[in-house]
Amino acid sequence: MICTGMFSLACSFLCFYALNCEHFALGQEDTGTRYLCRAIPINTDTSCPLTILPEVSTAGQEEELRNTVMQLRETILQQKETIVNQLGTINELTTKLSLCESSASAGGKFDTGSWSKDNQNTMGDVPRDPNDTIDALGKTMQSLKDRLENLEQQQMRANSSGATFPSELRDLLQRRLGDLEKQLLQKVSSLEEEKYLLYNETTAHRQRTESTLNSLLERINELEKGPGDFKSPEQFKLSLPLRTNYLYGRITKSMPEMYAFTLCMWLKSSASPGIGTPFSYGVPGQANEIVLIEWGNNPIELLINDKVAQLPLSVRDGRWHHICITWTTRDGLWEAYQDGQKLGAGDNLAPWHPIKPGGAIILGQEQDVVGGRFDATQAFVGELSQVNIWDRVLKSVEIQNMANCSSYTPGNVVSWLDSNVEVFGHGASKIPLELCQDRLPES
């Protein structure tokens, strides 16, 4: 109890002393310092201790806080601008993808609507030229890739400044861009295929046109040269009177690669046994590319790539006969005509084998090597005329019209012209041909 009372008395005395100190401090002139009162132990000096504390400056702290606030504000504004740009880009890509999907479902054609802010159609209105279309699609694809790279750079800048870039937006952009790229690649592939088909069709048409024009030019040139010793350039015949290995004719025209052909000629022979070889065509590596032969007591045979088909033709009576042979590589189909009538047909004769180009056409001899090594036992004896070759299968009516003298059609690959036929061997000759009506069997 005594300790408690003494302690209370000491506390009261200290409080009274502190009040007096405070009063003394307030009465002093302001010297830029301040005084604080505090409790002291009982056994210490009771004089009023005045401790002068240095003034604490807050200017540096306020400046630091102000800079921090400005940096946070700038970061927030940059993040807001980035998000707005990203949302705009997403909306634009979504619109383009919707247009692509709607155009694909409508038949693969791009809509003519505007996709850009300047009302410029960047993906619709595909140019008619496939090359221009591919270039336009490529530019659009590159533009979208550039935008994605720009967004990735913005993401990097945002990460460096402490801002976060939503990974969901980036993934969405990549998926949308991937879908759009697949659609563009499909369109480019379709245009490339159309371009290839159009090129092939144009090339084939140009080749047919050039072949026809060349035949007409040759015909015109021959007519302009004059008839010479014959009434017209085709009104002559090749005479091979002896069975030898040195009498023959050679056609100077070269053959192209062919997938079908028609071979027609007028011939007259009474040789026995067999008329021999009126026609042979050999190429390097295959001397029997096309051969028409009758030797010994065998029937007339047609050889294609050394494959044989026997023809039901009979021309040993010493009269003129018009014969035509047609063939196509498709299933090796062939037909044989004599005097305008189809006497036989067959298939599987060298099927799917194209006739090779660059060979030698020999009249009257069978070739063991290209252009030579003839065998007298297989030589043709008689007369040949109007040997023509086409690179297609002639219709029956066309063959009938030539056989009954209603019309004459020169071959578009090999035509029977005086300038196209060379004669070899003493005794072989080119002489005028009888009129067509005089060659008919009824005559």
Side-chain angles (χ1 to χ4, degrees):
M1 294 294 293
I2 296 174
C3 292
T4 302
M6 291 180 66
F7 181 76
S8 299
L9 180 61
C11 290
S12 299
F13 176 77
L14 289 175
C15 289
F16 175 77
Y17 184 79
L19 290 174
N20 289 334
C21 289
E22 182 179 1
H23 176 72
F24 175 78
L26 292 174
Q28 298 296 325
E29 183 179 359
D30 188 4
T31 61
T33 60
R34 58 181 179 173
Y35 302 93
L36 297 176
C37 295
R38 60 183 179 180
I40 60 175
I42 298 176
N43 296 329
T44 59
D45 187 5
T46 57
S47 61
C48 185
L50 298 176
T51 302
I52 300 175
L53 299 176
E55 182 180 3
V56 180
S57 176
T58 62
Q61 295 179 355
E62 292 177 356
E63 183 65 23
E64 183 178 357
L65 291 175
R66 186 179 298 106
N67 292 337
T68 301
V69 171
M70 293 299 293
Q71 290 178 358
L72 291 175
R73 181 178 180 183
E74 183 178 358
T75 300
I76 292 173
L77 291 177
Q78 291 179 353
Q79 184 176 6
K80 181 178 179 181
E81 182 180 358
T82 300
I83 293 174
V84 171
N85 292 337
Q86 292 167 358
L87 290 176
T89 303
I90 291 173
N91 291 334
E92 185 176 358
L93 290 176
T94 302
T95 303
K96 290 183 178 181
L97 183 58
S98 299
L99 290 175
C100 285
E101 292 174 350
S102 61
S103 63
S105 62
K109 296 184 177 179
F110 289 104
D111 187 76
T112 58
S114 174
W115 286 7
S116 65
K117 295 181 180 180
D118 298 331
N119 292 329
Q120 295 178 353
N121 192 346
T122 59
M123 293 181 61
D125 193 15
V126 177
R128 295 183 179 180
D129 190 351
N131 290 328
D132 296 340
T133 302
I134 295 172
D135 293 340
L137 295 177
K139 291 179 181 179
T140 302
M141 197 67 228
Q142 185 62 39
S143 176
L144 294 178
K145 290 183 177 179
D146 292 341
R147 291 187 177 184
L148 181 59
E149 292 178 357
N150 185 28
L151 291 176
E152 291 176 347
Q153 293 176 0
Q154 292 180 5
Q155 178 190 8
M156 295 177 61
R157 290 196 298 267
N159 291 337
S160 63
S161 63
T164 58
F165 185 87
S167 60
E168 294 81 1
L169 295 179
R170 183 174 182 276
D171 294 340
L172 177 61
L173 288 176
Q174 289 181 341
R175 288 197 301 270
R176 292 291 177 86
L177 185 60
D179 294 340
L180 183 59
E181 185 174 4
K182 290 179 181 179
Q183 294 183 12
L184 291 176
L185 291 177
Q186 291 176 356
K187 185 62 178 179
V188 170
S189 177
S190 176
L191 291 174
E192 287 288 352
E193 184 177 357
E194 293 177 2
K195 178 182 177 182
Y196 177 76
L197 295 176
L198 180 61
Y199 174 79
N200 289 343
E201 182 178 356
T202 303
T203 302
H205 179 71
R206 183 175 66 253
Q207 291 176 348
R208 291 193 299 268
T209 302
E210 289 178 352
S211 177
T212 303
L213 289 176
N214 290 335
S215 299
L216 292 175
L217 288 174
E218 290 178 0
R219 180 71 172 170
I220 292 173
N221 291 334
E222 292 297 332
L223 292 175
E224 288 177 348
K225 291 179 182 179
D229 297 333
F230 310 114
K231 295 180 180 180
S232 62
E234 72 277 357
Q235 292 299 320
F236 71 97
K237 59 185 178 180
L238 174 63
S239 177
L240 302 172
L242 301 175
R243 193 182 294 276
T244 70
N245 61 353
Y246 58 86
L247 299 181
Y248 65 96
R250 182 187 181 103
I251 294 180
T252 59
K253 295 288 291 183
S254 61
M255 294 254 279
E257 184 178 48
M258 296 187 300
Y259 297 90
F261 71 84
T262 298
L263 168 65
C264 292
M265 68 182 72
W266 285 91
L267 63 82
K268 181 172 70 172
S269 177
S270 58
S272 180
I275 63 173
T277 309
F279 180 92
S280 69
Y281 173 63
V283 297
Q286 180 53 271
N288 295 327
E289 188 71 1
I290 304 176
V291 179
L292 189 65
I293 184 173
E294 181 188 61
W295 61 289
N297 294 318
N298 298 318
I300 295 180
E301 294 178 340
L302 172 65
L303 280 69
I304 304 291
N305 191 32
D306 213 19
K307 307 300 186 295
V308 182
Q310 294 184 344
L311 310 181
L313 305 179
S314 178
V315 291
R316 298 182 189 177
D317 57 2
R319 302 177 63 88
W320 279 106
H321 293 281
H322 184 265
I323 63 173
C324 282
I325 308 299
T326 70
W327 175 87
T328 175
T329 185
R330 183 180 179 86
D331 295 329
L333 298 175
W334 60 269
E335 295 177 339
Y337 291 80
Q338 179 175 328
D339 298 327
Q341 302 297 320
K342 184 169 72 171
L343 300 184
D347 60 3
N348 201 32
L349 177 59
W352 313 111
H353 169 77
I355 301 301
K356 299 177 182 178
I361 303 175
I362 302 297
L363 303 178
Q365 296 286 350
E366 193 272 333
Q367 308 173 57
D368 287 337
V369 297
V370 178
R373 196 183 295 172
F374 306 135
D375 184 354
T377 62
Q378 297 175 337
F380 173 79
V381 180
E383 296 176 340
L384 296 171
S385 183
Q386 295 184 351
V387 180
N388 292 285
I389 301 176
W390 296 260
D391 59 359
R392 62 185 179 89
V393 175
L394 294 185
K395 298 178 181 179
S396 298
V397 63
E398 295 178 288
I399 296 175
Q400 291 174 1
N401 290 336
M402 286 188 291
N404 60 23
C405 298
S406 298
S407 65
Y408 172 73
T409 304
N412 67 332
V413 174
V414 173
S415 56
W416 182 257
L417 295 174
D418 182 21
S419 60
N420 290 342
V421 180
E422 298 177 343
V423 178
F424 297 88
H426 181 70
S429 62
K430 291 189 289 185
I431 57 179
L433 178 66
E434 297 93 331
L435 293 176
C436 187
Q437 287 75 11
D438 295 337
R439 300 193 298 269
L440 292 178
E442 293 79 4
S443 300

